[in-house]
Amino acid sequence: CRVEYLDYEVLSDHGWEVDDPDLFEKAGAADLDHDDYGLFLAEPGETLLEAAENRGFAWPFACRGGACANCAVLVVDGGLDATVDNILSQDLVDDGFRLSCIGRPVTDDMQVVFNVKHLPGLDELRL
Ligand code: FES
């Protein structure tokens, strides 16, 4: 799976919103640091968090077991499976939030905003 990623912290610096339809185009044109924006390939069987770590990135996490929401990402395009129950409410799931520690990519391409743990609704779930 080809994963295009963007750090949520970059959005406020640039005045961008997560629901901006051109978000990833803007990020691609903004000459961002490789830790903040870019592409990597996830191998079959890797969770998204493992894939990021195995490519040298330090994405946030704590429990690694679907119980704390520190690892939450917003899936803008593509899909992550979630094979075990997790703590995200149905509303958050419906809005595209997933836990990168338990979610494995199920599409050939994905766009994800990572480091969204401080978004309203997620902050209070963190341990
Ligand atoms: Fe705790 Fe993913 S690291 S839910």
Side-chain angles (χ1 to χ4, degrees):
C1 172
R2 178 180 172 274
V3 180
E4 187 175 7
Y5 60 88
L6 178 62
D7 188 340
Y8 178 66
E9 286 193 354
V10 171
L11 273 64
S12 53
D13 293 347
H14 291 262
W16 300 337
E17 302 289 338
V18 286
D19 55 1
D20 188 331
D22 299 329
L23 179 60
F24 280 80
E25 284 78 1
K26 288 180 188 170
D31 194 26
L32 296 171
D33 194 89
H34 192 54
D35 284 336
D36 296 332
Y37 167 79
L39 290 170
F40 62 74
L41 291 178
E43 300 292 335
E46 286 179 322
T47 66
L48 184 61
L49 178 63
E50 287 168 348
E53 291 174 336
N54 290 340
R55 311 283 111 61
F57 299 104
W59 287 12
F61 69 91
C63 73
R64 305 187 80 94
C68 77
N70 282 281
C71 69
V73 298
L74 175 62
V75 177
V76 174
D77 190 39
L80 275 188
D81 71 353
T83 52
V84 296
D85 285 345
N86 64 63
I87 58 161
L88 297 183
S89 68
Q90 191 61 46
D91 282 350
L92 289 168
V93 171
D94 290 347
D95 286 343
F97 291 97
R98 297 289 185 277
L99 300 176
S100 66
C101 71
I102 58 171
R104 292 181 167 79
V106 291
T107 50
D108 290 340
D109 295 282
M110 291 195 68
Q111 289 180 324
V112 296
V113 179
F114 71 99
N115 201 18
V116 297
K117 59 188 180 178
H118 295 300
L119 273 175
L122 290 168
D123 213 16
E124 60 266 29
L125 295 175
R126 293 189 299 127
L127 298 177

